[in-house]
Amino acid sequence: MHTKKVITAGKVIDKTDKVLIMIHGRGGSAQDILSLAAHLNTNDYALLAPQATNNTWYPTSFLAAPAINEPWLSSAVDVIDDVVADVIAKGILKENIFFLGFSQGACLTLEYVARNATKYGGVVAFTGGLIGDKIYTENYSGDFGGTPIFIGTSNPDPHVPVSRVQETTAVLESMHAEVYEKIYPNMGHTISHDEIEKANTLIFNK
């Protein structure tokens, strides 16, 4: 199982009212994903990046049946939930909690917020979709209350089919998120300058 280990950067959480939780991808690290903040409009945010055990949140593709990725998937969701609980315990409002993830981390980010939908500050998913061999809508509850969510992806992408991104957008919109989806032709499995710009314009604009 995952051990909760969180790397911090940015503002001290006691000295700000905005928090960004950053979720790294498969084979990546908390330090890797934190380095993105240099390009984001998050100077006033406390930055929290949990570290996956062995640098991987769950063992196989996000398109596998969820049982195949257990118990690691549930443990990963629990880690995010624990981080959110810690943030709330510091007096931060959920509407001032933001999420960002890349690849496997983007999938985990979207899965977490869909399972715990409420009015958040905003969500950025760089190449990701809801987890499972199909969309399990029974796992998702709550109301995003207009939370802005940006999802960017490549067409094609070697790990994330565009169809799953589009299905994910539909589910999030049905839960009253304000989803901004952008599909980039032949971008590759990376984060583009345009995606960073969109994240700053649409999400980190407060």
Side-chain angles (χ1 to χ4, degrees):
M1 296 310 95
H2 294 289
T3 301
K4 188 174 76 172
K5 177 184 177 185
V6 181
I7 309 299
T8 62
K11 293 283 189 181
V12 176
I13 196 167
D14 295 326
K15 301 290 179 67
T16 186
D17 61 356
K18 291 183 289 190
V19 171
L20 171 58
I21 299 170
M22 306 179 77
I23 315 297
H24 69 78
R26 184 189 300 274
S29 71
Q31 292 287 4
D32 290 341
I33 198 75
L34 281 171
S35 69
L36 266 184
H39 308 284
L40 300 171
N41 294 337
T42 53
N43 290 341
D44 295 330
Y45 293 62
L47 308 175
L48 307 179
Q51 173 64 53
T53 299
N54 299 323
N55 303 94
T56 299
W57 291 109
Y58 44 85
T60 65
S61 167
F62 86 109
L63 297 172
I68 294 174
N69 277 315
E70 294 294 0
W72 291 100
L73 174 58
S74 290
S75 178
V77 171
D78 287 346
V79 166
I80 308 309
D81 201 44
D82 284 350
V83 174
V84 171
D86 291 345
V87 170
I88 292 169
K90 288 288 189 178
I92 305 294
L93 300 175
K94 286 185 178 180
E95 64 192 45
N96 287 325
I97 300 176
F98 296 73
F99 298 86
L100 178 150
F102 169 63
S103 191
Q104 190 185 60
C107 297
L108 180 58
T109 295
L110 292 168
E111 187 72 14
Y112 176 81
V113 298
R115 293 187 186 193
N116 301 276
T118 189
K119 173 64 174 172
Y120 295 114
V123 179
V124 177
F126 294 128
T127 311
L130 292 171
I131 295 173
D133 53 320
K134 62 175 185 169
I135 299 285
Y136 291 87
T137 54
E138 64 270 23
N139 291 338
Y140 308 134
S141 61
D143 190 310
F144 282 111
T147 297
I149 298 179
F150 173 70
I151 306 176
T153 196
S154 177
N155 183 21
D157 181 87
H159 305 290
V160 180
V162 168
S163 59
R164 178 54 60 92
V165 173
Q166 293 168 333
E167 291 169 333
T168 297
T169 293
V171 170
L172 300 175
E173 287 180 338
S174 76
M175 300 171 74
H176 305 126
E178 191 72 36
V179 184
Y180 305 89
E181 173 195 288
K182 186 162 183 182
I183 298 167
Y184 298 82
N186 301 306
M187 177 176 70
H189 196 71
T190 187
I191 300 172
S192 70
H193 292 296
D194 189 75
E195 286 179 294
I196 293 288
E197 184 179 303
K198 290 290 187 296
N200 282 329
T201 302
L202 299 169
I203 309 300
F204 304 118
N205 57 8
K206 296 183 179 180

